Every structure is written in structure tokens, then in C-alpha cells.
């Protein structure tokens, strides 16, 4: 096998606008199939994946001998089910985040991955972007000294889009499942640490889903604070504040959509603050992610972001829910 033949379960907007083009543009892979019951929704995919085969059911796609790997952008509550079915059919799977609603649900997918020898991964694309790889390397090299504080923020406003699936609690909606995975997982990725304790939660809900939250946590060597919201002006950043410097990442989660991805490193020189700006104007983390996946399957090398890492982020989310529930009972 010289390249991976990809299929997509469902013609979602994100699959159409971001991951579909990435699957087709990534080296050593090609988008060849789409499962959707709507012929109209399939039309835009043919514009960048000419000749794509359209199946009218998910089952037909995952059992096709012409598909090697499946990308799953279905509603959150369907991820584990269809990842398992795809692996049962012999397909490698890349599943949108969050892969599961609870950390324990990862175990089923991990066990099936190990039993089948197939690659299964959550589509946590940021760790494949050179902005994040450099940030981790700078931190590990001591560029900001001993870490004291990490803060993260990610927001958008979808209040007018009342039919948005993120507003449906039965389908795993909410801001924390949707974008909390980024600001929680990013802190874990750079530092290699896991939270000891969730110190506080302030969560506002509408119709059963969280739309705004402020969370603080204690990690072994630093304090963490994070805000995510579906009711604020679009914004995203991560800040790592140490005793000798500050590292700020702009557009850390949607590079080139929220602006240019940059690392701003501020340290104290003999004559005052010194600021270094490291720019990433062109990298596409979705393409990098798919290329990493293709390489892992075709070359038999370890995937850079295994399910065990993704389970750790979900475990932090579970800790947030548990803390919030405990505070609500007081």
C-alpha cells in the first residue's frame, strides 16, 4: 500500500470545509468516499475530491473494500459506536473530538485498537502544528524558567444558531466538550503534567448545556485557569507564565481563521524586556494531522497523539463535571 484511501461518515460542514480538503491534500492519502443520504450535501465534496464515491449509509462505506481509513465527524454521542463498528470492519479511524463523553468510554476503543492492530485516534489536530511543537520544545528547554501559571481562553458566539448541534444535550453538546478539550489538552501537552485537583468551577448553562465556564485547577508545578464560551466574541489564546519569561500563543486552535499563528516569547534582558515573535503564516494543522496518521499506518511508526493522551484530557473534563456537581450540592 502506497497511500491511504479515506472515507467520511456524514457530510458535516466541518468535514466539507476543513477535514475533507485536508484528507485529500495530505501526502500519501486520498479522499475517495463519503457516506450521506443527501445527494445535495455530497456535491461540494466532488469539487475538491473529483470522482468521490457516495454511499447512502455508513454501513456501506465502512464495509467497502475500497476504503482503508474512516474519518468520523458525527455528533459526539455517536463517536464510540461508529469508531468501534469501523474497526470491526477493518478500517483505521480518525474520530472528531471529543471521542467520548467520559474517560472510561475510551477504554472500549483502546481495547479494540489493540486487538485489531488498527490505528485509532482522536482528531486533536493542534499537537501536529509546528507552533505547538515549538512551544513544547521551548518550555522543555527552560525558555521561561520555572512555570507558575497557565491560562487559556477560547470563545465564539453561536447564540443565534439555535439549531446548532452544540445546543443539544442529548448529542453531547456544550462548550466544554466542543472547545474545552483544546485549552485543557494544550496545557497537558506542553507541560506533560496532569491536574491534581480542580479548584473551582463557574459554569453557566442554557437548556441543559454549558455555554460559559471558568475553571481553575492545580497541577503538580503550576496553577491553571481557563475560560471557554459559546456566548462571547471570538477569541483564543494560551499563555504560559514562568519565573523568567512569558510564552503567549495566538490563534493556537484555529490557525489562519483566528489570525496568524504565532509564539510571542518575552524574557527579561539586561536592558529590559526582550520579545521574540515566531510566526507560522501558512501551516495547516489539519493537513499535518492527516499526514501523521497516513505515515503511522503506512510506515508502522507510532502516532504522535495516541488515545491515551486524549483520554487524559477527557479525564480532566470529567474532573470539572465532578467538581461542579459537588459545588452544586453545597
Amino acid at each position: 500500500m502506497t497511500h491511504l484511501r479515506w472515507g467520511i461518515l456524514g457530510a458535516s460542514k466541518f468535514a466539507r470545509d476543513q477535514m475533507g480538503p485536508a484528507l485529500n491534500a495530505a501526502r500519501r492519502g486520498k479522499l475517495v468516499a463519503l457516506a450521506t443520504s443527501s445527494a445535495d450535501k455530497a456535491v461540494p465534496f466532488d469539487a475538491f475530491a473529483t470522482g468521490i464515491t457516495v454511499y447512502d449509509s455508513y454501513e456501506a462505506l465502512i464495509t467497502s473494500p475500497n476504503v482503508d481509513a474512516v474519518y468520523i465527524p458525527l455528533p459526539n454521542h455517536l463517536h464510540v459506536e461508529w469508531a468501534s463498528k469501523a474497526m470491526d470492519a477493518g478500517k483505521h479511524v480518525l474520530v472528531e473530538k471529543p471521542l467520548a463523553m467520559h474517560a472510561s468510554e475510551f477504554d472500549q476503543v483502546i481495547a479494540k485498537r489493540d486487538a485489531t492492530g488498527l490505528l485509532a485516534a482522536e482528531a486533536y489536530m493542534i499537537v501536529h502544528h509546528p507552533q505547538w511543537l515549538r512551544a513544547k520544545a521551548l518550555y522543555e528547554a527552560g525558555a521561561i524558567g520555572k512555570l507558575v501559571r497557565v491560562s487559556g481562553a477560547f470563545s465564539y458566539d453561536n447564540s443565534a444558531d439555535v439549531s446548532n448541534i452544540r445546543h443539544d444535550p442529548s448529542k453531547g453538546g456544550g462548550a466544554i466538550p466542543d472547545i474545552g478539550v483544546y485549552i485543557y489538552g494544550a496545557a497537558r501537552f506542553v507541560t506533560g503534567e496532569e491536574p491534581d485537583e480542580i479548584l473551582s468551577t463557574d459554569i453557566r448553562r442554557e437548556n441543559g448545556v454549558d455555554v460559559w465556564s471558568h475553571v481553575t485547577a492545580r497541577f503538580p508545578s503550576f496553577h491553571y485557569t481557563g475560560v471557554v464560551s459559546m456566548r462571547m466574541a471570538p477569541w483564543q489564546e494560551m499563555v504560559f507564565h514562568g519565573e523568567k519569561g512569558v510564552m503567549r500563543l495566538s490563534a493556537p486552535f484555529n490557525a489562519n481563521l483566528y489570525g496568524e499563528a504565532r509564539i510571542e516569547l518575552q524574557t527579561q534582558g539586561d536592558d529590559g524586556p526582550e520579545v521574540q515573535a515566531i510566526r507560522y503564516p501558512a501551516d495547516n494543522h489539519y493537513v499535518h494531522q492527516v499526514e501523521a496518521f497516513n505515515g503511522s499506518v503506512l510506515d508502522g511508526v507510532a502516532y504522535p497523539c495516541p488515545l491515551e493522551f486524549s483520554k487524559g484530557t477527557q479525564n480532566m473534563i470529567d474532573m470539572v463535571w465532578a467538581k461542579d456537581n459537588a459545588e452544586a450540592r453545597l
Side-chain angles (χ1 to χ4, degrees), residues 166-207:
R166 294 167 182 83
H167 292 141
D168 189 340
S170 70
K171 296 180 179 178
I176 291 176
D178 185 39
I179 54 180
V181 293
Y182 290 117
I183 66 168
Y184 300 167
R188 297 177 53 251
F189 174 71
V190 168
T191 66
E193 295 187 16
E194 302 295 342
D196 287 330
E197 181 184 3
I198 304 300
L199 300 174
S200 68
T201 61
D202 185 359
I203 299 176
R204 179 162 63 89
R205 291 178 170 83
E206 295 177 11
N207 301 316

Side-chain angles (χ1 to χ4, degrees), residues 39-83:
D40 291 341
K41 289 184 177 181
V43 171
F45 288 81
D46 194 64
F48 57 82
T50 305
I52 189 171
T53 301
V54 179
Y55 296 91
D56 62 5
S57 71
Y58 302 153
E59 291 87 350
L61 187 148
I62 66 173
T63 56
S64 169
N66 299 316
V67 173
D68 306 308
V70 176
Y71 167 63
I72 303 176
L74 299 173
N76 295 340
H77 70 299
L78 298 176
H79 289 172
V80 170
E81 174 188 355
W82 282 99

Side-chain angles (χ1 to χ4, degrees), residues 14 18 97 123-127 129 131-132 150-156 178-187 189-190 224 226-228 235-240 249-262 283-286:
F14 183 73
Q18 300 295 339
K97 50 78 200 160
Y124 193 64
M125 75 292 186
I126 67 168
V127 299
H129 196 291
Q131 177 196 35
W132 280 102
V150 175
S151 65
F154 193 174
S155 63
Y156 58 84
D178 185 39
I179 54 180
V181 293
Y182 290 117
I183 66 168
Y184 300 167
F189 174 71
V190 168
Y224 171 89
V227 172
V228 295
W235 182 253
Q236 51 183 246
E237 71 170 1
M238 289 291 297
V239 177
F240 297 81
L249 282 71
S250 63
F253 311 124
N254 294 110
N256 302 323
L257 292 178
Y258 275 67
E260 182 183 74
R262 297 190 308 276
D283 285 276
N284 184 310
H285 43 205
Y286 302 116

